[in-house]
Amino acid sequence: MAMRSAKEGCMRSWLCSMALVVCLLADFASAADGEPEDKTVQALPYGVTLFYYFQQDYFSALTELMTAQQQKALGNHKGRGELLRGGMSLAYGMDNQAEAIFEDVLTEPDGAADRDAAWFFLAKVAWQRGQTRRASEALDRMEAGYSGDTADEARYLSANIHIRKGDTKTAGEQLALLPEDSSWRYYLHYNLGATHAASDRWRQAVSEFRRFDTMEADSDEERLLKDRAHTASGYARMAAGDYSGARDDFSRVRLEGPLSDRALLGHGWASGELGDYRAALSPWQVLSDRPLIGRGARESLLALPYAYEQLAMPGNALSGYRAAADAYVQELVRLEEVIEVFQKGDIGFLLPATQEEASDWLFEADVMPEGEYAPYIGYLVTTHDFQIALREWRDLYRIAGHLARARERLAVLSHVDQHQQLVWSEVIETQQRDVLMDRQRQLQVQVASLIEAYRLADETGDARALADPVQRQRWNRLDHAYTVADGLALTGQQADRLRILKGLMVWDDSEQFTARSWMLKRQLRDLQGLLSESQRRVASLDLAISQRQASDYAPRISALLARTEAQVLQVDLALDLAETGVRRLAVAELNSQSEQLAQSLGQSRLALARLYDNVSLGSR
């Protein structure tokens, strides 16, 4: 009788814990729904924000968004950007900031943002704070025909409010308004089932949970919800006395899922209630090989020998109770070691926290490391308070990483600024600008010379004016020969040779005049272009020098460094507090498990004593 009472107490405890769980939304629905007729992104910073957002890199998304807001670069996406920022803040747990953002959105002129979405998010803030009446009033402020992206979730939230008030009829009406393909329908079915189960309306609860039989679970979240519904349905059916149906529900739960322990334990008790304790042995044996930190595994060690007792196998029952007692003792020793590690050990080793750019704030699927402490950490993460504290600690750790990188980048910026100041000082103090101006004047002389040569050649028709340097050198030699010849008595043959040579030179210049004229124009055009570019660059240099002398980069960088250092201190302090909270919650939960193990150890020893007494009485 004592064992049967313990069994029934176990079943009732599991059933109530399943019935009172209400699955709430964890994901943030996109806030960019203010203008359904225009979904295009017209501002690049807003597009970059959305890119990071859909990559689940929320820190970068907020950084880009808030930078764009500071620079007033969002354009007509200003209202949407505020809703997006408020939504991410709300999903991150910063409900005070989110509330302030949404209230500011509602003060904007009509059409500046989706006011219905803002009212919805204010309702969501109130709901998360447990302010049911205020949440209901905010939902009532939304337009009756609202059809934005948050419309379905708004109906879901409204239905949950009515469920909390005990008005399941109105909640059902809200459910009927949801589209057939809406995922919120299943959340409502589950919540309605949990509400019926909490009020011992088992058949109505089962009816809601059985809706999941036809659910196509394509994501991990949907598969988990389906497992949860089947497990809850199984325990509800057991409470209603439908043990065969309960076994069918438990068998639908995935063995690799996080709810398999509860389903295996319930499957065994349902088989036991049907008198088929041999069938109960299989799920309980599977459970007995799992870590004892799980309640199902711990209770299976007592359930197995109990089943052997019902099968009239006292020897196996005696061995089972003895093995259970030994396992409990070993696990108690192990728990004491784990508790000491959480009290004094390196929490970063136990719960690795990365400083990657991307951060999935909504749920950490990879939070558990592999190793000897993995089963205990895996169990702790399933508890709500520890999961929240762990998220906060990991997020703070990531923020500390961002601040460390910001400090490094500011140090680099400071170094670059100092180097640039030095370069500009050298430009000014070493009179490099004067050197550049001298070169520019030389270029101007060259241009003027070419222009004059071309003008003379064009006006006089003298092809010699366009002679190249080699030809010009030849003319110089010929002119010198004529000068010398004036002082000499030349023969007729020698004078003829000079005239022939001069005629060849004139003929050559005449033949090359067109080509040389084209080349001169080209050179002149290129030189004029270089001169214009030189003048532009000198003017830019003068402007840069004047602006650089009035630059405020250094004090701005210094101010940012000081601000960053102050934030580093704040985050370090918050990290210490968060780490203390994680340790405290872990130790408290592990101590609770230790107490339950001690109770199970006592039950196993009592069962051993009872069996020994039965054996002694039978031998007399």
Side-chain angles (χ1 to χ4, degrees):
M1 290 297 293
M3 179 56 64
R4 183 175 182 84
S5 175
K7 177 198 72 172
E8 291 176 349
C10 160
M11 290 168 52
R12 173 69 63 173
S13 176
W14 276 112
L15 180 59
C16 290
S17 65
M18 287 299 301
L20 293 176
V21 172
V22 177
C23 186
L24 298 178
L25 171 68
D27 292 332
F28 164 62
S30 173
D33 60 345
E35 300 175 13
E37 71 278 1
D38 182 12
K39 293 288 188 176
T40 60
V41 175
Q42 301 177 10
L44 180 59
Y46 184 69
V48 175
T49 297
L50 291 181
F51 170 79
Y52 284 121
Y53 173 78
F54 288 114
Q55 294 292 320
Q56 296 187 356
D57 186 356
Y58 302 113
F59 187 91
S60 296
L62 275 174
T63 300
E64 291 290 338
L65 179 61
M66 295 176 71
T67 300
Q69 289 176 328
Q70 186 72 21
Q71 297 175 347
K72 303 185 185 307
L74 290 179
N76 63 344
H77 299 295
K78 178 183 177 182
R80 297 182 182 184
E82 275 296 273
L83 286 176
L84 185 61
R85 183 166 73 96
M88 284 192 287
S89 300
L90 180 58
Y92 193 31
M94 299 184 295
D95 56 334
N96 290 332
Q97 179 173 337
E99 182 179 28
I101 291 171
F102 296 134
E103 287 179 346
D104 287 343
V105 168
L106 290 171
T107 62
E108 294 292 327
D110 291 343
D114 188 345
R115 299 174 63 83
D116 289 312
W119 281 119
F120 162 73
F121 286 119
L122 279 176
K124 195 171 178 180
V125 171
W127 170 260
Q128 291 183 354
R129 292 175 176 173
Q131 299 169 350
T132 305
R133 180 178 177 181
R134 187 180 173 201
S136 179
E137 291 174 350
L139 289 178
D140 290 340
R141 299 291 299 272
M142 297 176 65
E143 292 291 336
Y146 177 67
S147 59
D149 290 347
T150 59
D152 289 349
E153 189 181 355
R155 293 190 181 96
Y156 166 77
L157 181 56
S158 177
N160 275 329
I161 292 174
H162 288 293
I163 289 174
R164 179 169 292 182
K165 294 177 179 178
D167 186 3
T168 55
K169 179 181 179 181
T170 305
E173 294 173 355
Q174 293 287 341
L175 174 62
L177 294 175
L178 289 171
E180 289 295 330
D181 59 347
S182 174
S183 60
W184 301 113
R185 295 183 67 91
Y186 288 106
Y187 286 106
L188 275 181
H189 283 307
Y190 183 85
N191 292 348
L192 284 169
T195 300
H196 289 310
S199 300
D200 294 341
R201 297 190 296 269
W202 308 115
R203 297 189 183 279
Q204 293 93 321
V206 171
S207 176
E208 296 294 342
F209 292 137
R210 291 306 301 270
R211 304 271 187 175
F212 289 82
D213 291 349
T214 58
M215 176 185 179
E216 295 182 4
D218 298 324
S219 65
D220 290 340
E221 181 182 359
E222 291 173 343
R223 284 188 283 270
L224 177 60
L225 181 60
K226 193 170 184 178
D227 285 345
R228 189 180 295 275
H230 286 143
T231 305
S233 179
Y235 280 105
R237 283 191 169 189
M238 287 181 65
D242 182 6
Y243 302 111
S244 178
R247 281 204 305 186
D248 180 64
D249 283 334
F250 289 133
S251 65
R252 294 172 181 264
V253 179
R254 296 171 300 153
L255 280 176
E256 69 277 9
L259 293 170
S260 59
D261 284 14
R262 304 178 187 182
L264 287 169
L265 185 64
H267 192 286
W269 287 126
S271 297
E273 290 294 338
L274 292 171
D276 190 0
Y277 281 98
R278 289 193 179 278
L281 290 176
S282 295
W284 288 343
Q285 285 173 340
V286 172
L287 272 177
S288 65
D289 293 331
R290 297 187 176 184
L292 292 183
I293 190 66
R295 183 175 180 179
R298 184 170 62 246
E299 293 190 4
S300 69
L301 292 182
L302 291 176
L304 273 172
Y306 175 76
Y308 286 128
E309 283 190 80
Q310 302 304 310
L311 293 171
M313 302 171 67
N316 289 347
L318 190 63
S319 298
Y321 284 126
R322 189 181 296 115
D326 293 341
Y328 291 146
V329 170
Q330 294 175 7
E331 184 65 15
L332 282 169
V333 173
R334 182 63 172 162
L335 266 177
E336 290 180 2
E337 176 186 343
V338 177
I339 290 172
E340 184 176 0
V341 170
F342 267 99
Q343 287 175 330
K344 304 176 182 178
D346 181 8
I347 195 172
F349 171 75
L350 293 172
L351 305 166
T354 61
Q355 291 184 349
E356 300 173 356
E357 289 293 331
S359 58
D360 47 345
W361 293 349
L362 304 181
F363 184 73
E364 309 275 6
D366 59 344
V367 69
M368 295 167 288
E370 296 182 358
E372 55 182 336
Y373 303 118
Y376 303 95
I377 297 172
Y379 170 77
L380 289 171
V381 170
T382 63
T383 61
H384 177 74
D385 291 342
F386 183 83
Q387 187 178 115
I388 296 299
L390 181 60
R391 286 176 183 171
E392 179 182 353
W393 177 72
R394 286 166 65 89
D395 289 332
L396 285 168
Y397 191 86
R398 283 198 180 100
I399 291 174
H402 286 298
L403 288 173
R405 286 190 289 275
R407 183 164 49 184
E408 293 172 0
R409 291 168 182 169
L410 286 171
V412 171
L413 282 176
S414 178
H415 176 75
V416 170
D417 182 67
Q418 292 173 6
H419 178 71
Q420 287 184 345
Q421 291 285 5
L422 179 62
V423 170
W424 285 114
S425 298
E426 291 177 352
V427 170
I428 298 171
E429 295 173 3
T430 59
Q431 298 181 340
Q432 292 187 22
R433 181 185 178 281
D434 295 338
V435 175
L436 292 175
M437 291 299 298
D438 288 339
R439 292 177 181 175
Q440 187 183 92
R441 282 190 288 270
Q442 293 173 9
L443 188 60
Q444 288 175 331
V445 170
Q446 285 183 287
V447 170
S449 177
L450 286 175
I451 292 175
E452 180 64 18
Y454 185 80
R455 185 187 65 78
L456 288 173
D458 185 61
E459 290 180 354
T460 63
D462 184 5
R464 179 178 173 178
L466 299 183
D468 58 27
V470 175
Q471 186 75 349
R472 198 175 300 117
Q473 186 178 13
R474 290 172 183 165
W475 273 111
N476 291 336
R477 289 169 62 188
L478 184 60
D479 290 341
H480 179 68
Y482 268 103
T483 302
V484 173
D486 289 341
L488 299 175
L490 298 179
T491 64
Q493 185 180 5
Q494 290 174 332
D496 289 340
R497 291 184 64 180
L498 281 176
R499 284 194 301 271
I500 291 171
L501 186 58
K502 182 177 181 180
L504 289 173
M505 293 281 288
V506 171
W507 180 84
D508 184 61
D509 287 341
S510 178
E511 286 292 316
Q512 297 294 327
F513 181 81
T514 302
R516 289 172 181 171
S517 176
W518 181 85
M519 288 295 296
L520 180 63
K521 290 179 180 179
R522 180 177 177 181
Q523 291 175 5
L524 183 60
R525 184 173 61 250
D526 292 343
L527 285 175
Q528 286 175 332
L530 287 174
L531 179 60
S532 176
E533 179 66 17
S534 173
Q535 292 171 341
R536 187 187 66 81
R537 293 193 176 187
V538 169
S540 298
L541 178 62
D542 289 340
L543 178 62
I545 290 174
S546 64
Q547 291 179 343
R548 194 63 186 177
Q549 290 172 339
S551 171
D552 61 347
Y553 287 141
R556 287 170 60 189
I557 293 173
S558 178
L560 285 173
L561 272 171
R563 181 180 175 186
T564 302
E565 293 295 340
Q567 291 175 340
V568 166
L569 293 176
Q570 291 178 353
V571 171
D572 286 344
L573 178 60
L575 261 175
D576 290 340
L577 294 175
E579 180 176 326
T580 300
V582 169
R583 291 182 186 275
R584 177 179 55 79
L585 289 171
V587 170
E589 183 58 35
L590 292 174
N591 278 328
S592 175
Q593 292 300 310
S594 181
E595 293 174 359
Q596 295 179 36
L597 272 171
Q599 294 177 1
S600 297
L601 175 61
Q603 291 178 7
S604 64
R605 287 175 173 172
L606 284 174
L608 279 172
R610 176 173 53 78
L611 286 179
Y612 280 129
D613 287 343
N614 292 339
V615 171
S616 299
L617 292 174
S619 62
R620 291 180 182 178

